[in-house]
Amino acid sequence: MAKATFTCSKCGASHSKWAGQCDSCMEWNTLVDQGPLSAGPGKTLGGKRGRTITLTDLATVEEPPARTMAGVAELDRVLGGGLVKASALLVGGDPGIGKSTLLLQAAARFARNGLKVIYISGEEATAQVRMRAQRLGLSESPVILAAETNLRDILTTLDAEKPDLVIIDSIQTMWADHIEAAPGSVSQVRSSAHELTSYAKRKGVAVIMVGHVTKDGQIAGPRVVEHMVDTVLYFEGERNHQFRLLRAVKNRFGPADEIGVFEMTGKGLVEVKNPSALFLSERGKTTAGSAVFAGIEGTRPVLCEFQALVAPSPHGQARRSVVGWDGQRLAMILAVLEARCGIPFTGLDVYLNVAGGMRVTEPAADLAVAAALISAREDAALPRDAVIFGEISLSGALRPVSQAENRLKEAQKLGFCQALAPAAKKLEDIAGITLRPIDDLAQFVEDLFGSR
């Protein structure tokens, strides 16, 4: 009798017996019984031999995968230049953030560009999808709709229709009748994703699957699903902001960490062609605690504003609140400022925010964060025409960052006249912008705010 296996719903690791904690990702209560491998309809491989597979060498010349442009520059950018034939994509995002709206608009665009598109909804009836299409002005688009959750029926219909693009909304609602588990379970999600990905590769059809996210912001279900597909996109944004970011965290056909910026309006999502100007559009007069950071998202330079507030704490324990940045990195910057520059934040509440709902992950924002914190603490405004970027080490030294020239060019386009950045030997001069090189954090504090 074959032994049962237990799979971690967080990282996908397999275990021979149940345990309270996964040995791979150290998460608790995530092991799920998958049943023996021989329990499926195909039984084990046994001694029967399979067919031979075709082998080729590296010298074989083949046509590159064909791409189809959506005609939306922000979406095509994130996809790496367009939709690739025979690819599988996974799109995740918070509930109500606009995933279905984005994909319905994308389906209409691709259909108008000559692709045969089928949109299958497992959460809404076709009448509800039509209602949304009418609100978005897409009711005349040649998109085929269906409302179904049975994976076997869906694949049978796709074999008969032979589409170019299939959108599954969502993968958690699909269920395979040969798996003895409820829809949305780890077994069903993994099996459905595998079947749809295999169908995409076998038939040369592009498949886009929508995935729900957990409280941690990760796509629900086993992490192995993300490894099955070619591209993983996250649709991000704050409910109280109209901006939405489509971020590629994995892309086999283009750069990862590329972003596309959209604005949510009454008629759907509208692409934003100049994100830097948008994120800085609400920047008012120069105030203490505001610093403009010149960042890089994928291959695109993006300027955003860091806002800091430092106030005496009425409680025994000072608060540290961060929105749009890593809280652990903020603690590191505060420690470096106190140890290397003699600027204490003990007994002070610190609040840090990235304006416009932007989320920044690169270490190059360290210097801009430090500048915003010191500016807020000393109630001294930074130069309005300056951008700041640079990575801070634990010794207080500043490290050069990548693509500094692109950051400076983007700042020059938006009217900034000076840049505060780590000293770099091979940094070209950009016309119209003055570079103020800085060696360490102590020098930066003394130059801008005087001796502390």
Side-chain angles (χ1 to χ4, degrees):
M1 180 177 179
K3 296 178 64 177
T5 58
F6 295 86
T7 302
C8 176
S9 61
K10 189 73 174 180
C11 66
S14 297
H15 301 263
S16 59
K17 61 181 181 179
W18 187 89
Q21 186 181 33
C22 175
D23 295 335
S24 299
C25 64
M26 307 307 292
E27 292 287 337
W28 289 90
N29 299 321
T30 57
L31 299 191
V32 180
D33 185 6
Q34 296 299 302
L37 292 176
S38 60
K43 304 299 180 182
T44 59
L45 290 177
K48 184 179 179 181
R49 299 183 62 184
R51 60 182 178 82
T52 58
I53 60 176
T54 303
L55 303 176
T56 60
D57 54 29
L58 288 175
T60 303
V61 179
E62 295 182 354
E63 290 291 330
R67 291 183 183 269
T68 302
M69 305 288 284
V72 181
E74 295 300 301
L75 177 59
D76 291 331
R77 172 193 290 272
V78 176
L79 293 176
L83 185 67
V84 177
K85 183 180 180 181
S87 62
L89 297 85
L90 185 62
V91 180
D94 293 332
I97 203 68
K99 301 184 298 295
S100 298
T101 299
L102 172 68
L103 292 180
L104 188 58
Q105 290 184 255
R109 287 277 189 167
F110 284 118
R112 291 171 184 171
N113 290 342
L115 296 185
K116 184 177 181 180
V117 181
I118 295 181
Y119 187 102
I120 299 177
S121 175
E123 301 177 346
E124 298 176 291
T126 54
Q128 294 173 315
V129 178
R130 286 196 193 95
M131 185 184 303
R132 189 188 317 119
Q134 290 175 356
R135 178 174 57 85
L136 300 175
L138 306 174
S139 55
E140 301 299 324
S141 302
V143 177
I144 304 173
L145 301 179
E148 184 55 65
T149 58
N150 189 311
L151 186 62
R152 188 183 300 274
D153 295 343
I154 290 173
L155 293 177
T156 302
T157 303
L158 296 181
D159 282 336
E161 293 290 336
K162 296 180 173 55
D164 300 307
L165 170 62
V166 179
I167 297 177
I168 304 294
D169 187 8
S170 66
I171 188 63
Q172 275 83 9
T173 61
M174 299 294 113
W175 68 280
D177 52 17
H178 67 283
I179 302 294
E180 295 181 359
S185 63
V186 173
S187 303
Q188 289 286 1
V189 171
R190 183 172 59 179
S191 177
S192 299
H194 173 70
E195 293 290 345
L196 289 168
T197 302
S198 299
Y199 171 81
K201 304 299 181 184
R202 187 174 65 254
K203 300 294 185 178
V205 177
V207 176
I208 300 178
M209 296 172 276
V210 177
H212 297 306
V213 298
T214 62
K215 293 181 180 179
D216 298 331
Q218 303 294 327
I219 294 179
R223 293 301 299 272
V224 70
V225 172
E226 297 188 17
H227 303 307
M228 289 180 186
V229 298
D230 301 305
T231 303
V232 179
L233 308 178
Y234 277 90
F235 202 44
E236 307 167 353
E238 298 289 339
R239 288 290 186 88
N240 54 347
H241 288 286
Q242 71 270 32
F243 312 132
R244 300 289 188 269
L245 271 67
L246 184 64
R247 185 186 301 271
V249 298
K250 172 189 175 182
N251 194 350
R252 289 175 178 160
F253 311 115
D257 290 329
E258 191 69 82
I259 67 167
V261 184
F262 298 87
E263 182 178 4
M264 179 64 78
T265 67
K267 295 187 177 180
L269 293 162
V270 179
E271 62 176 325
V272 177
K273 297 182 179 180
N274 191 345
S276 298
L278 180 66
F279 290 129
L280 299 178
S281 61
E282 299 178 359
R283 188 169 178 248
K285 63 180 182 179
T286 304
T287 57
S290 173
V292 177
F293 166 60
I296 295 290
E297 294 289 342
T299 60
R300 152 187 281 171
V302 177
L303 269 60
C304 61
E305 180 186 9
F306 275 92
Q307 299 171 342
L309 176 63
V310 179
S313 176
H315 311 287
Q317 174 117 20
R319 295 190 61 185
R320 303 287 186 260
S321 179
V322 187
V323 177
W325 205 52
D326 184 12
Q328 298 297 326
R329 200 151 188 96
L330 172 63
M332 186 199 77
I333 298 299
L334 293 174
V336 173
L337 286 172
E338 183 167 358
R340 306 302 179 189
C341 304
I343 304 177
F345 285 84
T346 305
L348 297 174
D349 288 339
V350 176
Y351 302 90
L352 184 70
N353 175 52
V354 183
M358 183 75 175
R359 183 170 62 87
V360 179
T361 57
E362 60 172 333
D366 289 351
L367 191 58
V369 171
L373 292 173
I374 302 171
S375 172
R377 184 184 184 277
E378 302 300 326
D379 196 22
L382 295 165
R384 181 175 176 82
D385 62 347
V387 295
I388 305 172
F389 58 89
E391 181 181 354
I392 299 176
S393 65
L394 293 180
S395 64
L398 297 182
R399 298 174 178 173
V401 298
S402 62
Q403 302 188 51
E405 290 84 1
N406 292 336
R407 300 173 196 261
L408 295 176
K409 290 178 181 177
E410 182 70 12
Q412 191 271 337
K413 285 181 187 176
L414 295 177
F416 290 89
C417 301
Q418 56 178 320
L420 291 83
K425 296 181 180 178
K426 297 182 179 180
L427 190 59
E428 299 180 0
D429 293 332
I430 305 297
I433 190 166
T434 303
L435 179 64
R436 296 173 58 180
I438 303 169
D439 293 322
D440 56 37
L441 189 58
Q443 177 197 343
F444 173 76
V445 173
E446 183 175 353
D447 289 348
L448 282 187
F449 305 98
S451 179
R452 293 292 112 205

